[in-house]
Amino acid sequence: MWHIGGRSLFSITLVLLASLIGAGAQGAVPRMSKEIDGVTVYLGVVPSALLIGHPKEHAEAQMHGGLPAGAHEFHILVALYDSKTGMRIADAKVSASAALVGSTSSNRLLEPMVMAGTIAYGNYFTLGGEGTYVIHLRIEMHDRRVLHTVFEYQHGIS
């Protein structure tokens, strides 16, 4: 599990997730959340280029096997909450795939990360072209339920 602190991609991602959580009223940020079987799922997609310049020994430069090189690398981040209590779910196993509509992609484990004292799940993905990406999430809960959900993410489209 990664422990991240300070001003970083994860701080930016937390701000992004916070804005996603509150976006319903303002409508300024597309709402990237869904509720499924009592679990609220929030999704964030952030360019990994925001990490360029961190020293190699910095935790963010080393997470998920190291910072990927390339202009089309993105960090996909998921936060899970119990829909009834609002409590963060910190003991799930989450995997994801991301591909342009009509393309295929392999699954990746979203690694648990401690960010600002709370758990989120993330990993790097290549989003190589503009268009609609389909992001499939598989969430294995501690009670053995397996949840599946799909998000559509508009990449590079204004």
Side-chain angles (χ1 to χ4, degrees):
M1 183 174 323
W2 293 96
H3 294 269
I4 307 300
R7 302 178 115 197
S8 64
L9 168 65
F10 298 100
S11 299
I12 293 166
T13 304
L14 271 179
V15 170
L16 171 66
L17 284 174
S19 68
L20 291 173
I21 293 166
Q26 297 93 344
V29 176
R31 190 163 195 155
M32 298 281 286
S33 67
K34 292 187 175 190
E35 185 176 340
I36 179 169
D37 197 19
V39 176
T40 303
V41 181
Y42 291 95
L43 175 76
V45 180
V46 180
S48 61
L50 294 175
L51 290 177
I52 293 173
H54 281 297
K56 287 184 181 185
E57 61 277 355
H58 197 277
E60 293 164 3
Q62 297 175 15
M63 71 175 184
H64 312 315
L67 182 63
H72 304 290
E73 301 298 326
F74 287 77
H75 191 255
I76 292 180
L77 183 77
V78 171
L80 304 173
Y81 292 86
D82 181 293
S83 299
K84 290 181 183 175
T85 66
M87 298 293 294
R88 183 71 73 122
I89 297 171
D91 57 357
K93 292 182 183 174
V94 183
S95 61
S97 65
L100 279 168
V101 170
S103 299
T104 60
S105 176
S106 59
N107 267 349
R108 285 205 180 117
L109 178 66
L110 299 187
E111 297 174 352
M113 305 174 301
V114 176
M115 298 174 10
T118 190
I119 297 288
Y121 306 88
N123 209 333
Y124 295 118
F125 288 81
T126 301
L127 306 180
E130 290 186 357
T132 301
Y133 278 79
V134 178
I135 299 172
H136 292 266
L137 298 178
R138 181 185 186 279
I139 304 161
E140 186 177 332
M141 303 297 293
H142 70 280
D143 62 6
R144 298 201 179 272
R145 284 181 297 154
V146 177
L147 310 177
H148 295 270
T149 191
V150 177
F151 287 88
E152 286 190 0
Y153 167 67
Q154 302 298 318
H155 181 64
I157 299 174
S158 340

